[in-house]
Amino acid sequence: MGSTVLAVTKESDPNLRVYAHCAKKKPGVSLIFINLSKDRSFNITLSNAKPGDAGKPNYEFVGKQNREEYHLRALTGDIKDDIVCLNDVPMVQTDSEDIPAMDPKLVDASTPISIAAQSIAYVTIRDFEAPACV
């Protein structure tokens, strides 16, 4: 995430925290979603409100590029678990003491972002045009 912080508004449960920044070193926007709910997941649809559009409906964001997603959750679903999964891959050392690859999941940017219960998602959208990031 870059150093420029973006304003975020949400119409949702208070257990879902959302933070947004301009992406670092590349175009786009990076978001972090933290779901504190023990049993509720969320499907997030993004929109981009332009400055000065107060009171007008936001237009829905439809990206052409795939977005990059990193989903973190406890292996067993118990937040106190010692093993964390990244995109459903347990982050444990291999026999050669390496860690698994930490590649993003590439997802069609026009689909909702799914945030599982008690999880964190880091999402970068390269073609989301935020005026502050240009």
Side-chain angles (χ1 to χ4, degrees):
M1 295 180 93
S3 59
T4 302
V5 179
L6 303 173
V8 173
T9 57
K10 63 182 181 74
E11 299 173 13
S12 175
D13 188 298
N15 286 314
L16 180 67
R17 309 293 165 87
V18 183
Y19 305 92
H21 290 241
C22 295
K24 189 175 186 176
K25 297 182 182 177
K26 293 183 180 179
V29 172
S30 294
L31 303 108
I32 289 189
F33 300 91
I34 302 172
N35 186 352
L36 302 173
S37 175
K38 293 180 180 179
D39 54 7
R40 183 169 178 210
S41 60
F42 296 94
N43 288 314
I44 308 298
T45 301
L46 301 176
S47 65
N48 187 6
K50 293 181 180 179
D53 282 351
K56 295 181 182 177
N58 295 343
Y59 64 88
E60 188 170 297
F61 166 74
V62 178
K64 294 185 172 93
Q65 296 180 16
N66 286 336
R67 66 176 175 256
E68 302 166 14
E69 294 188 4
Y70 297 86
H71 293 265
L72 293 166
R73 64 170 183 80
L75 177 64
T76 63
D78 180 354
I79 200 153
K80 297 177 188 173
D81 196 335
D82 291 337
I83 299 175
V84 172
C85 292
L86 174 64
N87 295 337
D88 296 323
V89 176
M91 293 285 105
V92 294
Q93 287 184 327
T94 63
D95 292 337
S96 61
E97 297 187 4
D98 293 325
I99 58 172
M102 293 190 264
D103 297 322
K105 182 167 67 168
L106 299 177
V107 180
D108 180 344
S110 66
T111 62
I113 300 168
S114 296
I115 314 297
Q118 291 188 321
S119 72
I120 298 171
Y122 175 80
V123 178
T124 297
I125 304 169
R126 296 289 174 205
D127 60 347
F128 191 106
E129 294 181 11
C133 299
V134 178

